[in-house]
Amino acid sequence: MADEDILHNVKNHFYLGNLKQAVIEAKSVDPPTSFSKEQRSFYLLRTYLDVENTQGMLELVEEAKASPNSKFAQFLKFFLAYLNKEVTGEKLETVCQEFITNPDFNKHPLVMLMVGLILYTENNISKAVLAVKDQSNLEMQALKLVMMVKNNRVNLAEKQLDLMKQTDEEATITQIAIAWVQLLTADYETAYHNFHELSERFSSTINLFNLMALCMTQLERYEDAEGLLQEALTLSNENYGKDDATTLINLLVVTFHLDKPQTEIDSLMGRLQQVDAHSEFLQKFVSGCEAFDNAAAN
């Protein structure tokens, strides 16, 4: 298998949210070049980050020490410090800017993608855009599309999607982006069918169940949305032994629409508290209830 194809399945599973299978695939391949080895570490790192596998991330950093001259290995040291909150605020922005302007690093696509993701996570969109300038890299294009949506520039996101299609319309990440933009532009029926096609072509994942449920919610087909979200929770517990917080939040929204009993709402809120006690949704909900109680008392 060609170097550029050897991680094809790893990428697809990662993009679709099939994280458990992404790890299995990544560990089953033997990348032939130093860059493809870095790519495998890149996707494993992001997968471990998503499933909160700290030990897995530390092992990747240790493995990287075997290649001290690798720019990606050098970047991983900084990334670990970032995760440990040793680099924050202005210092974080300064270091990221140094990566963006340093020719030893800014030509490395994996480093620039990670810098872009960090800055996006920190809500520094203007700097993040500078990190993902390579229009030949589909994942950079996809991240730029997400940034445009976050800035409520759907028109620019559509133009970015056109660029992704020109690069590789059949790529899984492009197909996901197509369906996502359809969802954002209120073409809910078409978006649902495209997400469903992806789930049939590859496999059903928690992410795809949630995206299909969101389409059904927008179409006011709440019972269908509820069924999809229940399937997502089943899959989450089978794969990770716990509820998925995003799925619980979406299920709570659907439960309100279905006018379910308060006991069911309370049960879902309790489950959300267990898996994500600091959930922004949970905090806003509690705050809203307190504000309502205070207003009613007066």
Side-chain angles (χ1 to χ4, degrees), residues 14-201:
F14 176 77
Y15 296 148
L16 293 163
N18 192 354
L19 304 180
K20 187 175 182 179
Q21 191 60 36
V23 172
I24 293 172
E25 292 281 351
K27 289 187 173 182
S28 71
V29 298
D30 183 19
T33 67
S34 58
F35 181 68
S36 57
K37 287 176 182 176
E38 288 180 350
Q39 280 188 303
R40 181 178 65 175
S41 295
F42 172 77
Y43 288 105
L44 275 172
L45 178 70
R46 293 172 66 190
T47 302
Y48 289 149
L49 188 59
D50 284 348
V51 299
E52 300 177 351
N53 184 342
T54 304
Q55 184 58 39
M57 287 189 283
L58 290 174
E59 287 173 1
L60 286 174
V61 174
E62 283 299 312
E63 287 175 14
K65 290 179 180 179
S67 306
N69 295 324
S70 160
K71 299 306 175 189
F72 183 67
Q74 292 172 33
F75 174 80
L76 283 184
K77 295 178 184 177
F78 156 73
F79 186 66
L80 185 62
Y82 166 69
L83 292 179
N84 290 330
K85 301 189 185 303
E86 296 168 15
V87 186
T88 59
E90 291 184 6
K91 183 180 178 182
L92 174 63
E93 184 176 337
T94 299
V95 175
C96 286
Q97 182 63 26
E98 289 172 356
F99 280 120
I100 292 171
T101 57
N102 187 332
D104 289 335
F105 289 94
N106 63 19
K107 291 180 176 61
H108 197 300
L110 304 181
V111 172
M112 286 299 97
L113 259 173
M114 290 302 290
V115 170
L117 286 164
I118 289 170
L119 291 167
Y120 172 76
T121 302
E122 298 296 323
N123 206 30
N124 192 338
I125 306 300
S126 60
K127 285 286 194 300
V129 170
L130 297 176
V132 291
K133 294 186 294 185
D134 184 358
Q135 287 294 352
S136 67
N137 185 300
L138 271 175
E139 195 163 356
M140 284 192 184
Q141 291 183 45
L143 180 54
K144 191 178 290 186
L145 185 151
V146 172
M147 293 176 194
M148 291 169 180
V149 170
K150 188 166 186 177
N151 276 347
N152 296 316
R153 300 299 302 273
V154 178
N155 58 324
L156 293 180
E158 290 177 306
K159 291 180 180 178
Q160 189 63 43
L161 178 60
D162 288 338
L163 291 174
M164 292 182 69
K165 290 179 182 177
Q166 290 171 25
T167 303
D168 188 350
E169 186 164 6
E170 297 306 313
T172 302
I173 193 169
T174 305
Q175 292 298 308
I176 295 169
I178 289 170
W180 198 52
V181 169
Q182 288 166 340
L183 176 58
L184 292 167
T185 54
D187 190 0
Y188 305 124
E189 197 75 52
T190 307
Y192 171 81
H193 286 299
N194 283 330
F195 287 130
H196 185 262
E197 184 181 339
L198 284 166
S199 71
E200 289 196 326
R201 191 191 314 168

